[in-house]
Amino acid sequence: MDRRQFLKGGVHLGLLPWVGAAQASSDPTRVLTAQPGVARLADGTDSTTRVWGYDGRVPGPTLRVRQNEWVHARLVNRLTTQTSVHWHGVRIDNAMDGVPGLTQDAVAPGESFDYRFRVPDAGTFWYHAHERSWEQVARGLYGLLIVDEAEPVAVDRDLTFAIDDWRLDDEAQIHEASFGSLHDWAHGGRLGQWVTVNGRPFERFEVRRGQRLRLRVINTANARVFSLDFADLAPQVIALDGQAVAPQRLEGHLQVAPAQRVDLLIDVAQAAGAVLPVAVVTRGDMLPVAHFEVARDETAAVAFEPFAGLPANPLATGLELDAAERVVLVMEGGAMGGMASATLNGEQLSLRELAQRGAVWALNGTVGMTDEPLVSARRGRTVVIDVHNRNRWPHAMHLHGHHFKVVSRDGVEQGGAPWRDTELLQPGESVGLAFVADNPGKWLFHCHMLEHQAAGMKTWLEVT
Ligand code: C2O
Ligand code: CU
């Protein structure tokens, strides 16, 4: 099948290009049932792993809509505990953001909740539980949300690469005893020893010479920053966190922090029979987690057109830095962080007292949510959060409902940084994160290393 046939055939069966938002909104509701299931996560064993998944699957079903259409998803809770769904990276209507205690009540067992929202941006997004997410995401409650561009992008294959790590016990079951481990919470979070791609211990992609691939990489791990080696696949980076960037050849390894997405463009130039591995790089070792196999056919070598890039999304990009609302956010705590004390629920506690409560990370001296928002901005204002990572750990800071860009790093102004919804900060690093606060509501800002979030690294802001 060549590119032309692909375009003619259309990938969007059932989502015809002339169907506008009004008609799409009458689409039937997609039911997502949060329930127990089983998955084959660990190879070399006969065991399946008991997971929690949407429709019992890991990853959950991939939801696919076209830009500007509506998502109608009914969360049905068949777990024995409450839950919710957050639509990560979507510039969403605040009431649909899925944060218990801030934007909705948690959904009790046996209950359901209807999520209905329009998606303004094309790109790679995901959805995941946002109640005890450090446990629920680790058990498998996540899936992909792919928003297709208004005009189809000229690629032959559109593939996903959802990478995760799992901490399993000797029976290949989710290691439950370590949920809530203070050691994880105060250090680098819950790291697993089993890696899956698209829920499989090893993922195989069969491709053909001459094909142009879009590969949507997404890190769904609780806390692991993946470094990926694509060897001879020679990808170009074309989008970050759902937002287009000028295509750029990947140099070295691809670093993807928890919750981040990277869209890659890969032109398969290799002859039939080639096997092209993708590996996770860990302390100099390479763990192969997937490969691309070039099918044996008669396709001749082809020359690829340069890729023009993805269309930009309608983000408000006009930052008014001089007139910005500025706020400082100091991140402290964790193991070896030297934090002496912090406020928890209005009480000043020593580090030892905090540790007893599993509350070991503070933002501006407070552990967890404050009554007042970090900042309250009028709609349309530019906000700059000057984030100072004053501790020994990297953190993946995520803002709900908006995309931001780094405008300064360690006090030095930056131009040309990409728009993201999750930014990895190294220990000791400071960044200025700027965005146009154009989405009204109450929005979380937190570390996406989910144990850090659980242990206090979260705050919120308000757009009025
Ligand atoms: Cu992907 Cu508040 O989270
Ligand atoms: Cu963190």
Side-chain angles (χ1 to χ4, degrees):
M1 175 151 79
D2 67 19
R3 185 161 308 142
R4 181 178 308 243
Q5 281 174 320
F6 180 83
L7 287 176
K8 255 197 272 170
V11 264
H12 307 291
L13 299 173
L15 287 175
L16 302 171
W18 57 84
V19 174
Q23 275 166 289
S25 66
S26 63
D27 281 352
T29 296
R30 176 68 141 109
V31 175
L32 285 177
T33 306
Q35 62 182 56
V38 290
R40 197 167 284 282
L41 302 176
D43 52 3
T45 80
D46 291 332
S47 321
T48 53
T49 305
R50 291 185 297 277
V51 297
W52 295 355
Y54 296 106
D55 296 355
R57 288 155 53 191
V58 171
T62 295
L63 305 188
R64 192 150 198 156
V65 291
R66 194 178 289 277
Q67 186 170 16
N68 288 323
E69 287 181 346
W70 287 76
V71 173
H72 288 182
R74 172 169 301 159
L75 166 67
V76 175
N77 184 0
R78 297 255 177 273
L79 304 170
T80 54
T81 185
Q82 58 185 22
T83 190
S84 74
V85 176
H86 169 59
W87 309 88
H88 184 115
V90 178
R91 297 186 299 124
I92 201 169
D93 172 3
N94 189 245
M96 298 289 116
D97 198 41
V99 181
L102 196 67
T103 68
Q104 69 168 92
D105 292 331
V107 181
E111 301 285 298
S112 67
F113 188 93
D114 285 351
Y115 292 95
R116 293 171 170 256
F117 55 93
R118 225 185 106 252
V119 283
D121 296 335
T124 305
F125 302 93
W126 66 304
Y127 61 95
H128 61 79
H130 214 295
E131 170 71 5
R132 285 171 66 93
S133 53
W134 49 276
E135 176 186 0
Q136 297 195 358
V137 174
R139 289 186 184 272
L141 284 168
Y142 64 81
L144 272 71
L145 171 62
I146 293 178
V147 183
D148 286 307
E149 287 73 14
E151 296 293 324
V153 174
V155 296
D156 301 299
R157 303 279 303 280
D158 191 322
L159 305 168
T160 60
F161 191 101
I163 188 161
D164 200 353
D165 67 342
W166 302 81
R167 188 183 293 177
L168 304 181
D169 65 19
D170 294 343
E171 268 87 56
Q173 300 309 312
I174 304 280
H175 196 279
E176 293 181 335
S178 57
F179 276 129
S181 141
L182 182 64
H183 185 275
D184 288 343
W185 289 30
H187 291 74
R190 181 183 178 91
L191 302 175
Q193 79 279 46
W194 296 89
V195 176
T196 58
V197 174
N198 300 333
R200 297 185 188 99
F202 192 88
E203 179 66 307
R204 295 175 175 79
F205 299 99
E206 197 183 277
V207 296
R208 281 162 199 251
R209 184 186 222 180
Q211 282 184 334
R212 171 163 276 180
L213 319 175
R214 179 178 187 169
L215 185 69
R216 301 170 187 265
V217 177
I218 162 165
N219 181 350
T220 63
N222 273 39
R224 185 181 292 277
V225 178
F226 280 105
S227 177
L228 298 172
D229 181 85
F230 285 88
D232 296 331
L233 286 159
Q236 298 175 60
V237 175
I238 59 170
L240 297 170
D241 294 351
Q243 306 299 342
V245 295
Q248 199 178 2
R249 173 74 24 118
L250 175 69
E251 303 290 345
H253 297 141
L254 182 69
Q255 179 184 265
V256 196
Q260 289 185 330
R261 289 88 65 212
V262 183
D263 285 32
L264 299 176
L265 189 85
I266 295 172
D267 289 332
V268 182
Q270 285 83 356
V275 174
L276 307 158
V278 182
V280 170
V281 185
T282 50
R283 299 175 204 267
D285 273 349
M286 296 271 212
L287 171 73
V289 292
H291 71 218
F292 289 75
E293 204 174 328
V294 185
R296 296 185 183 280
D297 66 6
E298 300 310 312
T299 317
V302 282
F304 289 95
E305 301 276 314
F307 184 68
L310 297 168
N313 285 318
L315 280 185
T317 55
L319 295 172
E320 290 176 359
L321 294 177
D322 293 336
E325 190 88 55
R326 285 187 175 264
V327 62
V328 169
L329 191 73
V330 177
M331 306 166 64
E332 289 177 300
M336 302 168 289
M339 181 172 77
S341 67
T343 303
L344 175 67
N345 301 327
E347 245 191 302
Q348 184 80 12
L349 299 176
S350 70
L351 184 61
R352 217 182 53 129
E353 293 166 314
L354 291 168
Q356 285 163 351
R357 293 161 174 79
V360 290
W361 297 99
L363 297 174
N364 289 350
T366 297
V367 178
M369 298 291 271
T370 47
D371 293 339
E372 294 299 312
L374 173 70
V375 55
S376 177
R378 275 276 161 71
R379 185 175 191 177
R381 277 300 289 274
T382 295
V383 174
V384 180
I385 311 179
D386 279 305
V387 189
H388 300 273
N389 187 22
R390 295 217 186 109
N391 58 80
R392 296 293 192 87
W393 301 90
H395 300 282
M397 295 304 289
H398 169 49
L399 176 62
H400 284 215
H402 297 79
H403 278 68
F404 54 73
K405 100 198 254 180
V406 172
V407 292
S408 67
R409 200 175 286 281
D410 295 329
V412 182
E413 264 180 50
Q414 304 282 304
W419 292 95
R420 303 209 73 140
D421 59 49
T422 307
E423 175 74 15
L424 183 65
L425 275 81
Q426 296 302 330
E429 197 173 30
S430 297
V431 292
L433 304 179
F435 59 98
V436 179
D438 62 349
N439 196 358
K442 297 174 174 180
W443 303 106
L444 274 193
F445 181 51
H446 65 85
C447 182
H448 221 288
M449 286 146 174
L450 299 173
E451 291 68 31
H452 295 172
Q453 178 191 351
M457 197 168 261
K458 60 178 168 186
T459 184
W460 64 289
L461 48 91
E462 187 176 44
V463 181
T464 59

